[in-house]
Amino acid sequence: MKLQRKNGLRASALGALAVTGALVLTACGSDDNTASTGGSGTKTSAASDISCEGAQGKLLASGSSAQKNAMDLWVKNYMAACSGVEINYKSSSSGEGIVAFNQGTVGFAGSDSALKPDEVAESKKICKSGQGIDLPMVGGPIAIGYNLPGVDDLVLDAPTIAKIFDSKIKKWNDPAIVKLNPGKNLPDKAVQAFHRSEDSGTTQNLGKYLGSTAKAEWPYEAEKKWPAPGGQAASGSSGVAAQVKQVDGAIGYFELSYATSQSIPTVSIDTGASAPVAATSENASKAIAAAKVKGTGKDLALEIDYATKAEGAYPIVLVTYEVVCDTGNKPETLSTVKSFLTYTSSDAGQKILADHGYAPIPTEIITKVRETVAGLK
């Protein structure tokens, strides 16, 4: 990735906050949690404002690898603030997280897709007096990363992306790619397309985008399991990113944070707007800010317009949810779940996202999340 793009990512983070209405970033040093009195019922430094009240013991959680980098930051900050509390988030996949939640083995699950009706019904066995609900916590672009030395600023559109991942486009100098990239020296090289090997909300969100914008080229339902023949599989977003980084001619999909951390160049999308749209936090925020709450009751699942042609709106986005019981959470972990999710949804928790390839959740939505977390029982 060119240095200009790297700098642009960081600069765009400030724009993302303005679009979503989140607080403006303050100095990077305020992300550190250096002061802690430790123990249950205490509060840490004003820089993080993490309340440890009632938190204790060990909290297990699992699910989405899309939010792994955000969760790593949150867990580090929270555990530094709350002495004696251990948060163990297993980054696996959205599908595995939901299964673990509905088996009652975790306090909350991370998922890149909202609960389906059958999953909600199953959750009622665990949430004895309630049901599982979706709390949007992390937003950001699903980047299409590629490995083509000498080819910068690659542009693709939805039909072309669909044909690539459906094994219909096999060479990088295919006429469809050449047409979108005039003047670029595209090699006569095989396309090596990588997808997720396990059930994944990231896969499902990519499928929603392709199904909304390239129906003729992508005849598959948007499911967590990869639907198309061919291609090569890797485990987790980290696995797909690692393969793209290593394999000449590779292309794959993963959250922007993985591309940023490994300097993997990403595709700009021709959406039909006046100019192709790059995968940045700011551009993803423009799409997420237009999302509508489709959940009922305390459920805050969002509906995203993947077919947007708004100027500067990056369309391949995901929102990662934390899945909890609205009522009926386990008494031994309830206080810790509330304490931790109160931090992740706070101004302090949200403002660290943009620096790491994510987009903060818009103010009007994250405010509802905070209210819901406070009322968990």
Side-chain angles (χ1 to χ4, degrees), residues 65-201:
S65 65
Q67 68 172 5
K68 178 186 183 299
N69 294 332
M71 192 60 69
D72 286 348
L73 288 167
W74 284 334
V75 169
K76 178 183 176 181
N77 290 352
Y78 184 84
M79 288 176 56
C82 300
S83 176
V85 182
E86 180 182 351
I87 309 292
N88 187 338
Y89 181 82
K90 178 185 177 183
S91 172
S92 51
S93 69
S94 298
E96 292 177 50
I98 297 303
V99 169
F101 178 77
N102 281 337
Q103 290 176 342
T105 59
V106 295
F108 70 89
S111 177
D112 308 335
S113 295
L115 292 166
K116 292 194 259 185
D118 61 321
E119 293 170 336
V120 173
E122 190 176 353
S123 73
K124 293 179 180 179
K125 300 173 185 177
I126 299 300
C127 309
K128 298 297 184 182
S129 56
Q131 64 181 48
I133 57 172
D134 303 286
L135 301 179
M137 201 70 72
V138 182
I142 299 174
I144 307 294
Y146 66 97
N147 185 340
L148 280 179
V151 179
D152 297 320
D153 302 320
L154 186 71
V155 175
L156 297 175
D157 60 12
T160 307
I161 293 170
K163 290 177 184 177
I164 287 173
F165 283 109
D166 198 21
S167 302
K168 297 294 193 299
I169 288 179
K170 301 181 183 298
K171 292 281 189 148
W172 278 108
N173 61 349
D174 185 277
I177 303 177
V178 171
K179 184 178 179 180
L180 290 163
N181 296 273
K184 293 184 181 136
N185 186 21
L186 294 165
D188 182 17
K189 183 180 295 181
V191 172
Q192 306 282 347
F194 286 88
H195 58 263
R196 292 282 289 274
S197 60
E198 74 287 5
D199 286 3
S200 160

Side-chain angles (χ1 to χ4, degrees), residues 145-147 194 239-247 250-254 264:
Y146 66 97
N147 185 340
F194 286 88
V240 175
Q243 290 299 314
V244 172
K245 179 75 172 178
Q246 295 168 12
V247 177
I251 187 170
Y253 59 94
F254 33 79
I264 298 172

Side-chain angles (χ1 to χ4, degrees), residues 15-342:
L17 293 173
V19 171
T20 60
L23 290 182
V24 176
L25 279 171
T26 55
C28 295
S30 66
D31 292 344
D32 296 330
N33 299 309
T34 55
S36 172
T37 55
S40 175
T42 62
K43 216 167 204 182
T44 64
S45 65
S48 60
D49 197 30
I50 298 174
S51 173
C52 310
E53 184 176 357
Q56 58 183 339
K58 186 175 184 179
L59 173 63
L60 300 179
S62 70
S64 165
S65 65
Q67 68 172 5
K68 178 186 183 299
N69 294 332
M71 192 60 69
D72 286 348
L73 288 167
W74 284 334
V75 169
K76 178 183 176 181
N77 290 352
Y78 184 84
M79 288 176 56
C82 300
S83 176
V85 182
E86 180 182 351
I87 309 292
N88 187 338
Y89 181 82
K90 178 185 177 183
S91 172
S92 51
S93 69
S94 298
E96 292 177 50
I98 297 303
V99 169
F101 178 77
N102 281 337
Q103 290 176 342
T105 59
V106 295
F108 70 89
S111 177
D112 308 335
S113 295
L115 292 166
K116 292 194 259 185
D118 61 321
E119 293 170 336
V120 173
E122 190 176 353
S123 73
K124 293 179 180 179
K125 300 173 185 177
I126 299 300
C127 309
K128 298 297 184 182
S129 56
Q131 64 181 48
I133 57 172
D134 303 286
L135 301 179
M137 201 70 72
V138 182
I142 299 174
I144 307 294
Y146 66 97
N147 185 340
L148 280 179
V151 179
D152 297 320
D153 302 320
L154 186 71
V155 175
L156 297 175
D157 60 12
T160 307
I161 293 170
K163 290 177 184 177
I164 287 173
F165 283 109
D166 198 21
S167 302
K168 297 294 193 299
I169 288 179
K170 301 181 183 298
K171 292 281 189 148
W172 278 108
N173 61 349
D174 185 277
I177 303 177
V178 171
K179 184 178 179 180
L180 290 163
N181 296 273
K184 293 184 181 136
N185 186 21
L186 294 165
D188 182 17
K189 183 180 295 181
V191 172
Q192 306 282 347
F194 286 88
H195 58 263
R196 292 282 289 274
S197 60
E198 74 287 5
D199 286 3
S200 160
T202 311
T203 294
Q204 188 171 40
N205 278 278
L206 177 65
K208 288 177 181 178
Y209 165 71
L210 294 175
S212 298
T213 54
K215 267 191 171 301
E217 295 80 10
W218 192 257
Y220 309 105
E221 293 295 321
E223 299 291 346
K224 293 178 182 177
K225 184 177 179 62
W226 181 254
Q232 303 173 66
S235 178
S237 291
S238 59
V240 175
Q243 290 299 314
V244 172
K245 179 75 172 178
Q246 295 168 12
V247 177
D248 192 16
I251 187 170
Y253 59 94
F254 33 79
E255 295 66 44
L256 181 61
S257 61
Y258 291 92
T260 303
S261 64
Q262 298 189 49
S263 298
I264 298 172
T266 61
V267 168
S268 291
I269 306 297
D270 183 347
T271 64
S274 63
V277 185
T280 68
S281 296
E282 177 185 6
N283 293 342
S285 291
K286 292 177 182 177
I288 295 171
K292 307 296 182 185
V293 175
K294 67 176 182 179
T296 58
K298 295 182 178 179
D299 187 86
L300 298 176
L302 302 179
E303 183 174 3
I304 295 170
D305 180 11
Y306 293 96
T308 181
K309 294 182 181 179
E311 294 296 327
Y314 184 81
I316 319 177
V317 297
L318 62 76
V319 171
T320 293
Y321 302 95
E322 311 310 340
V323 177
V324 295
C325 298
D326 54 0
T327 62
N329 290 279
K330 293 181 179 179
E332 60 269 27
T333 58
L334 174 59
S335 293
T336 307
V337 168
K338 290 179 70 171
S339 172
F340 181 65
L341 297 185
T342 294

